[in-house]
Amino acid sequence: MTGHVLAIDFGGTKIALATAAVGSPDGRPDTTVRLRTLGGAGALQAVHRAFDAARELLTAPAAVGVSTFGVLRGGRVRLAPNVPGWDGMALPELLRAEFGDAPVAIDNDVNAGAAAELRWGALRGVDVGLYVNLGTGLAAALVAGGRVLTGAHGAAGEIGYLRDRAADPSFADGHAPLEEAVSGSALARRGSELLGRPVTAAELFELGAEPRVAGLLDEVVDTLSRTIANLCVTLDPERVVIGGGMMGAAAHIMPRVADAVRRAVPFPPGLSAARFVDDAPLVGAVALALEAAR
């Protein structure tokens, strides 16, 4: 096929769109546009503004790849409470109505990031692997047979719902206990409470010499490392790839993860940082679109 594909990444705070040539060897976008999600105004306005921007970018895409926060089940987005109306929205139906006969592929943002790593990044050539996204939220993608596994309900890899301690709350209580303890947003919240002033996760890692901050960071990174090691025992991957915004502190995180995996896993996998960090879901949407164009 010839022509260009369209990629859309719907995020909780921003929407990114890109085009890429069907024959692109590396999926590098020709054009990229970013919009604010404006989530407080609801889900549909965000989708329609994205469609307006898409029409200006490309009038007849060969295929469309879409990444979204949440998970897809039964033609609707689930587990996406951050933007009013996104949870339960029939996003695939809206995409079909907008793009007509063009093939459309859609997946959640972390699976899309894993698709980018599989096609062009650190998971390339891997049969069984694990992609872990340490960002504002916390999730993973499981790879088997060189493909991302979605699970029976589209929710494979939603590790934010894991319980690390018996006292932790559960999904039934309205919580994602692991994500609320160790994600980037959790670290910022806990650090701000600890220091009595607003701080980001990145700022906390810069303050790591301060004893109180060091204790919090040690707890969080130890929990992350233990979780990743447990996932490796379960999946037995060839390689673990770690991405997401918290990888700005890779020098603090990666050695601890490597040590936990080496000590806990009978057959330790290779461990590497993701190739794609800032735009992983968008690059993954390009990968989805190129696969759909085939």
Side-chain angles (χ1 to χ4, degrees):
M1 292 184 66
T2 58
H4 285 72
V5 297
L6 173 71
I8 307 175
D9 169 37
F10 289 107
T13 58
K14 68 175 177 62
I15 302 165
L17 302 93
T19 63
V22 169
S24 172
D26 57 6
R28 185 172 299 165
D30 297 322
T31 309
T32 303
V33 172
R34 287 176 173 81
L35 313 170
R36 292 177 61 195
T37 304
L38 303 177
L44 287 179
Q45 60 81 28
V47 172
H48 291 311
R49 285 192 298 109
F51 289 169
D52 289 342
R55 291 187 209 107
E56 293 184 11
L57 275 178
L58 193 59
T59 56
V64 182
V66 178
S67 162
T68 179
F69 57 101
V71 302
L72 293 159
R73 183 183 181 194
R76 294 184 180 272
V77 182
R78 301 295 184 188
L79 304 182
N82 295 338
V83 174
W86 210 273
D87 197 301
M89 182 173 61
L91 183 57
E93 181 180 329
L94 293 172
L95 291 164
R96 286 192 298 270
E98 175 66 22
F99 295 108
D101 294 334
V104 176
I106 180 171
D107 211 333
N108 73 49
D109 48 3
V110 176
N111 285 351
E117 295 295 332
L118 274 168
R119 190 168 182 122
W120 301 296
L123 284 171
R124 189 170 186 177
V126 170
D127 183 61
V128 180
L130 177 67
Y131 172 78
V132 182
N133 187 79
L134 308 179
T136 303
L138 176 68
L142 314 179
V143 173
R147 302 187 68 84
V148 178
L149 301 180
T150 57
H153 307 96
E158 290 295 315
I159 62 173
Y161 293 96
L162 291 175
R163 299 174 70 241
D164 191 55
R165 301 170 301 175
D168 286 344
S170 301
F171 169 72
D173 306 313
H175 291 274
L178 190 63
E179 183 173 277
E180 291 169 11
V182 301
S183 64
S185 59
L187 196 50
R189 172 181 52 79
R190 295 177 67 186
S192 298
E193 292 171 355
L194 180 69
L195 297 176
R197 61 182 176 84
V199 291
T200 65
E203 289 169 341
L204 281 177
F205 282 106
E206 293 173 359
L207 296 170
E210 205 274 355
R212 292 177 300 167
V213 174
L216 173 60
L217 293 177
D218 285 346
E219 176 199 334
V220 166
V221 176
D222 283 349
T223 300
L224 284 171
S225 300
R226 181 168 60 251
T227 299
I228 292 170
N230 287 340
L231 291 171
C232 290
V233 171
T234 303
L235 185 62
D236 187 25
E238 299 169 40
R239 188 177 303 155
V240 176
V241 173
I242 303 179
M246 284 177 64
M247 286 298 284
H252 191 108
I253 295 170
M254 294 294 280
R256 304 276 283 276
V257 174
D259 184 62
V261 167
R262 178 184 59 81
R263 292 176 59 84
V265 183
F267 301 98
L271 179 68
S272 64
R275 175 182 176 186
F276 304 104
V277 178
D278 295 332
D279 278 339
L282 181 62
V283 178
V286 172
L288 293 174
L290 291 173
E291 183 66 23
R294 295 176 58 189

